[in-house]
């Protein structure tokens, strides 16, 4: 149903809703029955992380910018103080987001891995897949779709 998921590169954890079971290394039967086990790859709701990113960096994730125009700053600027606005701009200038992760934010669903053992402790906590691990599991999912 829900659990705490960590975004490692940004060092933030949010309570999010689990949407779907996508991949399990041991059996496709566990994916079909949507069984939650340790190291199962699942899809989680991206909204809490989008809201956090907007608040911290002042940049809205998941918005497609047209080629002709550059990324617009949010309309909430008039509500924030000048100090906060400058802070957000400084943070945003240093910030780099993985293109594969940005693509997931546009769909509104993030791939995550369960780190806890839901059957033992009754909690379903984990982390968002990034970098090499994300590329690996995306490749596995593409193979599964073709078969």
């Amino acid at each position: 149903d829900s659990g705490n998921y960590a975004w490692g590169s940004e060092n933030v954890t949010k309570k999010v809703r689990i949407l779907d079971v996508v991949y399990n290394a041991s059996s496709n039967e566990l994916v079909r029955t949507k069984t939650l086990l340790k190291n199962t790859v699942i899809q989680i709701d991206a909204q809490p992380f989008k809201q956090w990113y907007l608040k911290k960096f002042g940049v809205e994730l998941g918005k497609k910018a047209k080629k002709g125009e550059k990324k617009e700053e949010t309309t909430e600027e008039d509500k924030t103080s000048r100090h906060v606005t400058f802070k957000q701009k400084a943070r945003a200038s240093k910030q780099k987001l993985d293109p594969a992760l940005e693509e997931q934010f546009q769909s509104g669903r993030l791939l995550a891995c369960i780190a806890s053992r839901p059957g033992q402790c009754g909690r379903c906590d984990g982390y968002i897949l990034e970098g090499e691990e994300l590329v690996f599991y995306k490749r596995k999912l593409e193979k599964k779709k073709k078969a």
Side-chain angles (χ1 to χ4, degrees), residues 85-140:
T85 307
F86 279 114
K87 244 184 177 177
Q88 287 177 339
K89 282 184 180 175
R91 286 177 183 152
S93 67
K94 297 174 191 164
Q95 185 57 24
K96 282 280 184 226
L97 192 64
D98 186 24
L101 205 59
E102 200 161 358
E103 180 185 309
Q104 287 186 332
F105 272 111
Q106 285 176 350
S107 69
R109 294 170 166 234
L110 298 173
L111 285 180
C113 187
I114 300 173
S116 64
R117 295 170 64 192
Q120 302 289 315
C121 64
R123 297 174 60 110
C124 192
D125 303 333
Y127 57 93
I128 293 174
L129 296 176
E130 300 178 275
E132 294 283 317
E133 201 172 9
L134 177 60
V135 172
F136 174 79
Y137 283 114
K138 274 195 158 189
R139 200 176 314 121
K140 288 278 187 188

Side-chain angles (χ1 to χ4, degrees), residues 22-23 111 137-145:
V22 180
Y23 179 79
L111 285 180
Y137 283 114
K138 274 195 158 189
R139 200 176 314 121
K140 288 278 187 188
L141 290 171
E142 288 301 316
K143 257 188 207 171
K144 199 173 110 178
K145 281 182 184 175

Side-chain angles (χ1 to χ4, degrees), residues 1-6 13-21 34 36 42-45 48-49 112-119 121-127:
D1 187 40
S2 68
N4 291 319
Y5 285 84
T13 302
K14 295 285 175 196
K15 187 175 180 75
V16 293
R17 207 164 42 105
I18 296 170
L19 300 174
D20 196 15
V21 175
K34 299 191 183 327
L36 297 174
I42 57 174
Q43 280 187 334
I44 59 173
D45 186 24
F49 291 105
C113 187
I114 300 173
S116 64
R117 295 170 64 192
C121 64
R123 297 174 60 110
C124 192
D125 303 333
Y127 57 93

Side-chain angles (χ1 to χ4, degrees), residues 9 22-23 39 52 65:
S9 64
V22 180
Y23 179 79
N39 285 339
W52 173 85

